[in-house]
Amino acid sequence: DMTFDLNFDSYADGVLSTLYDETYKEFAFAFYQGTSMAAPHVAGVAAMVKKALIDEGKSAAPVDVKDVLITSAIDLGDIGRDNYYGEGLVNAYASVKNVLVDILDPELFPFPGIIKMEGVNPSADFILKNIVDTSLIDIISISKYNNSQWLEVSPTSGPANPTGLIVNVSVDTGTYSYITDGNTYTEMLEIQSSAGTEYAYILYNINGFISNDITDIGVVYVVAIDPETYHVIALDAIRFMDFYKYTIENLAPGSYIVGASTDRDNDDYIFEPDDVYGFYIDFNNRVVINLKAGENLKGFDFQIVDQAQ
């Protein structure tokens, strides 16, 4: 999901892929999401399932492989198929074991496995569920590996039924004075259960990616650019007081490049030699972002550079 950067590496959480840049006539890498990225992962699991079916002397027709994939998928939304997650997240472990053995051991799954929070007094939920079948898993304890006082976790035990156990994590920024702007804090949760031990990771940034070395450079114009014509389709004017966060709304479904620039001479032209500007992911690797109907353009963080220096 490229609207997130759950590990704070300054890259959107897509699948890194190879491509050929027609503009610069060179091979490159870019992050993407969607069915194009899901298809090769599912195909790889399908190949393992087919091999397992053949080894077991069972029918390995496409319909049989598909049935194993669907019945083994991790249900991320409502029970059964839904219009957001489809049949769920492909599960290589359960898919192959479903073919090779009759009874599977329960498998605890934290979703998401990395929880990112930002801002003042944030709160977030994750879910613990059995990704193999609908049997109950007993959560014995959830403990903070580093015993961080700034993080609250509730509940710390209970049954993970077929729909899962919802666990809330929160930060009381007013209580702990050592939590300061621009810093990132981390914690690991150790989850002991009747199915074994799993871990979830907490990343917390109090100021939403804004570090202490960010300076006020005036108004910055974040623009959605047509990748074919390089015309600006829409923009959002953002300021230092708002931490240079942007949202471009009401875009038509389609492909866009994201850029940002100042207009230092106030001549209504941006991306000039005396401006501060850049592109997502970076100046030489301008990634095309595909938006669906109803989606806004936001959350793609990138660096802008003073071209006059």
Side-chain angles (χ1 to χ4, degrees):
D1 185 342
M2 292 182 64
T3 62
F4 290 96
D5 174 23
L6 290 178
N7 58 357
F8 289 102
D9 65 354
S10 299
Y11 294 104
D13 292 344
V15 177
L16 188 60
S17 310
T18 55
L19 72 155
Y20 185 72
D21 190 321
E22 293 288 350
T23 302
Y24 296 96
K25 305 299 180 185
E26 62 184 10
F27 293 101
F29 298 91
F31 290 94
Y32 291 99
Q33 67 178 38
T35 51
S36 297
M37 300 298 99
H41 291 83
V42 176
V45 179
M48 293 192 294
V49 168
K50 182 173 182 178
K51 177 66 164 58
L53 288 168
I54 292 172
D55 288 349
E56 291 294 302
K58 301 176 181 177
S59 172
V63 66
D64 300 306
V65 175
K66 180 180 177 181
D67 182 62
V68 172
L69 293 176
I70 290 175
T71 57
S72 305
I74 302 171
D75 200 337
L76 300 180
D78 299 329
I79 295 178
R81 191 191 188 286
D82 61 67
N83 290 331
Y84 190 84
Y85 291 110
E87 300 291 354
L89 179 65
V90 69
N91 187 345
Y93 169 80
S95 293
V96 176
K97 287 201 74 175
N98 265 330
V99 176
L100 299 179
V101 299
D102 293 328
I103 301 176
L104 298 178
D105 296 328
E107 185 76 13
L108 185 67
F109 181 74
F111 175 75
I114 301 177
I115 299 93
K116 184 183 78 173
M117 296 186 290
E118 57 184 332
V120 177
N121 297 327
S123 177
D125 293 331
F126 67 97
I127 190 168
L128 297 171
K129 65 192 307 182
N130 185 352
I131 62 173
V132 170
D133 55 35
T134 59
S135 62
L136 185 144
I137 293 178
D138 182 29
I139 307 301
I140 301 168
S141 65
I142 302 175
S143 58
K144 294 177 286 189
Y145 190 82
N146 295 315
N147 199 30
S148 299
Q149 294 185 357
W150 53 267
L151 182 67
E152 297 294 329
V153 182
S154 179
T156 57
S157 63
N161 58 32
T163 59
L165 175 67
I166 297 176
V167 180
N168 176 263
V169 290
S170 62
V171 180
D172 182 357
T173 53
T175 301
Y176 304 103
S177 59
Y178 57 81
I179 295 179
T180 55
D181 285 357
N183 290 328
T184 299
Y185 301 87
T186 62
E187 180 58 278
M188 181 173 71
L189 301 181
E190 184 174 274
I191 305 157
Q192 298 280 352
S193 78
S194 56
T197 303
E198 287 292 337
Y199 298 91
Y201 300 87
I202 310 296
L203 298 172
Y204 169 58
N205 186 290
I206 188 172
N207 211 17
F209 302 110
I210 305 300
S211 62
N212 290 327
D213 60 358
I214 295 293
T215 56
D216 189 351
I217 56 173
V219 177
V220 173
Y221 299 92
V222 181
V223 295
I225 301 170
D226 186 315
E228 299 294 333
T229 65
Y230 262 74
H231 290 163
V232 173
I233 306 301
L235 61 80
D236 184 19
I238 56 177
R239 295 168 174 80
F240 176 77
M241 66 182 68
D242 299 318
F243 307 123
Y244 289 121
K245 291 186 177 182
Y246 67 92
T247 301
I248 302 178
E249 301 176 327
N250 302 318
L251 282 169
S255 300
Y256 299 93
I257 292 173
V258 184
S261 174
T262 59
D263 180 18
R264 277 176 165 166
D265 55 9
N266 295 314
D267 64 352
D268 293 330
Y269 288 93
I270 55 179
F271 298 103
E272 293 185 305
D274 63 340
D275 282 323
V276 182
Y277 64 84
F279 298 90
Y280 176 77
I281 291 177
D282 57 49
F283 193 88
N284 296 314
N285 187 14
R286 303 171 190 184
V287 171
V288 175
I289 297 167
N290 299 307
L291 290 187
K292 300 177 184 177
E295 289 185 327
N296 295 325
L297 195 57
K298 62 180 180 179
F300 298 94
D301 299 312
F302 56 98
Q303 186 180 41
I304 57 176
V305 178
D306 192 339
Q307 306 298 323
Q309 292 184 353

